[in-house]
């Protein structure tokens, strides 16, 4: 990832005991470290919560918004598209805009239903892509199931693949090796643009509420995934999920929240704020 040459240390520094190991405390690239605020019974983003997360460059949530450092997300209807057009053509357009979030999966539906079929989504987004201004960069829709055909069908229907500046994926696996395997597989198929990982955590626990929460495993997973992303040339942003605690019935984020229901730091907050990507 956009690496710069490491600083060279002259001999007197080595004699004084200053480490000369390259990358011993390598700073994460600007923009790599980001976070997700989930909406739940205890709310999502607040300024108070955001101020406790010092290392993140940006944040997202699942509602459209233009708060400080927020990357807005496009909703799934015409009103949302109209709001997005107003934002990108207005006096202070956002630098980036996320588009449809998991449109292939209506959460909780059995059997699985899509929120938007690929053709519906293609028709819905066309007015925005025709009136996108000259500043905001759009990030491609992110499917819940990246191996299925929703995304290629969407691009086939809208003929708009070139309109997006980066692809987008959500990854939940128990181990870093499993997560990296999935990310690489996605990139092998969609490799003509950078990649944003807009949700990631060590999820898929068999029990809804891990007890005790395996904070050590989560911390190691977090450090390793950012260090790996740093080394690539094509992972540009990683959004840790989640900034805030939500129902532990969501097994993807039951062991990865930075702040608990009372806004107190978990054992994960300090390591997140101290990420070095080394």
């Amino acid at each position: 990832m956009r690496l710069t040459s490491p600083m060279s240390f002259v001999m007197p520094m080595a004699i004084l005991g200053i480490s000369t190991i390259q990358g011993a405390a390598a700073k994460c690239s600007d923009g790599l470290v980001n976070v997700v605020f989930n909406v739940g019974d205890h709310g999502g983003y607040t300024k108070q919560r955001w101020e406790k997360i010092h290392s993140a460059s940006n944040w997202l949530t699942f509602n459209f918004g233009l708060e400080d450092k927020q990357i807005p997300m496009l909703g799934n209807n015409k009103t949302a598209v109209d709001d997005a057009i107003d934002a990108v053509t207005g006096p202070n357009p956002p630098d980036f805009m996320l588009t449809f979030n998991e449109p292939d999966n209506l959460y909780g539906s059995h059997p699985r239903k899509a929120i938007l079929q690929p053709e519906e989504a293609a028709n819905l987004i066309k007015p925005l892509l025709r009136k996108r201004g000259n500043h905001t960069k759009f990030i491609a829709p992110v499917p819940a199931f990246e191996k299925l055909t929703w995304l290629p069908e969407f691009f086939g229907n809208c003929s708009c693949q070139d309109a997006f500046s980066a692809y987008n994926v959500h990854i939940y696996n128990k181990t870093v090796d499993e997560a990296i395997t999935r990310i690489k597989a996605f990139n092998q198929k969609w490799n003509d643009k950078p990649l944003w990982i807009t949700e990631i955590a060590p999820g898929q626990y068999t029990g809804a509420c891990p007890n005790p929460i395996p904070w050590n495993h989560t911390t190691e997973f977090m450090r390793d995934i950012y260090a790996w992303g740093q080394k690539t040339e094509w992972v540009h942003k990683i959004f840790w999920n989640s900034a805030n605690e939500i129902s532990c019935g969501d097994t993807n984020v039951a062991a990865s929240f930075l702040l608990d229901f009372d806004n107190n730091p978990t054992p994960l907050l300090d390591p997140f704020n101290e990420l070095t990507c080394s």
Side-chain angles (χ1 to χ4, degrees), residues 173-192:
N173 291 93
K174 288 184 179 180
T175 71
V176 168
D177 288 344
E178 291 170 337
I180 290 174
T181 296
R182 281 183 63 193
I183 297 166
K184 286 181 175 178
F186 184 85
N187 178 250
Q188 287 174 357
K189 185 173 183 179
W190 307 100
N191 58 15
D192 59 309

Side-chain angles (χ1 to χ4, degrees), residues 3-252:
L3 297 175
T4 56
S5 299
M7 183 180 295
S8 297
F9 290 93
V10 295
M11 183 62 70
M13 287 186 173
I15 293 173
L16 290 172
I18 299 175
S19 174
T20 61
I21 300 174
Q22 294 183 358
K27 182 181 178 181
C28 299
S29 294
D30 289 343
L32 178 67
V33 180
N34 307 276
V35 73
V36 178
F37 281 96
N38 279 281
V39 178
D41 293 339
H42 294 255
Y45 165 84
T46 66
K47 185 178 179 181
Q48 178 190 17
R49 287 173 174 164
W50 173 242
E51 288 175 347
K52 294 183 179 182
I53 303 172
H54 310 301
S55 59
S57 297
N58 294 104
W59 60 275
L60 67 84
T61 190
F62 303 100
N63 297 318
F64 186 84
L66 298 168
E67 297 283 349
D68 185 42
K69 304 299 182 180
Q70 180 182 7
I71 296 179
M73 178 183 292
L74 179 66
N76 299 317
N77 54 47
K78 182 181 181 301
T79 298
V81 171
D82 290 342
D83 290 342
I85 291 172
D86 290 342
V88 301
T89 59
N92 297 297
D95 292 334
F96 300 101
M97 183 174 292
L98 298 160
T99 53
F100 303 122
N101 181 72
E102 298 191 353
D104 58 325
N105 182 45
L106 179 61
Y107 188 78
S109 61
H110 301 286
R112 179 183 61 85
K113 297 179 181 178
I115 298 172
L116 293 170
Q117 296 297 334
E119 184 177 3
E120 291 179 290
N123 291 331
L124 186 60
I125 204 171
K126 283 179 181 178
L128 174 60
L129 298 182
R130 287 196 298 264
K131 300 179 182 179
R132 54 180 167 169
N134 56 12
H135 179 80
T136 303
K137 295 180 180 179
F138 291 93
I139 312 304
V142 56
F145 303 97
E146 79 277 5
K147 293 181 181 179
L148 300 185
T149 61
W150 193 98
L151 193 58
E153 289 182 25
F154 167 78
F155 287 138
N157 276 282
C158 73
S159 301
C160 63
Q161 192 168 347
D162 290 342
F164 299 97
S165 297
Y167 296 116
N168 190 356
V169 71
H170 292 169
I171 299 292
Y172 295 100
N173 291 93
K174 288 184 179 180
T175 71
V176 168
D177 288 344
E178 291 170 337
I180 290 174
T181 296
R182 281 183 63 193
I183 297 166
K184 286 181 175 178
F186 184 85
N187 178 250
Q188 287 174 357
K189 185 173 183 179
W190 307 100
N191 58 15
D192 59 309
K193 305 178 193 295
L195 179 65
W196 287 21
I197 304 170
T198 47
E199 292 183 22
I200 192 165
Q204 302 181 14
Y205 290 93
T206 53
C209 306
N211 186 18
I213 293 175
W215 294 114
N216 289 342
H217 170 71
T218 304
T219 300
E220 182 178 357
F221 182 105
M222 180 185 68
R223 287 172 172 161
D224 287 351
I225 201 67
Y226 276 100
W228 174 80
Q230 172 76 40
K231 294 175 183 177
T232 74
E233 293 292 333
W234 41 272
V235 174
H236 282 196
K237 285 185 177 293
I238 302 175
F239 290 76
W240 184 256
N241 199 9
S242 168
N244 57 299
E245 184 176 7
I246 60 172
S247 168
C248 61
D250 186 334
T251 58
N252 284 334

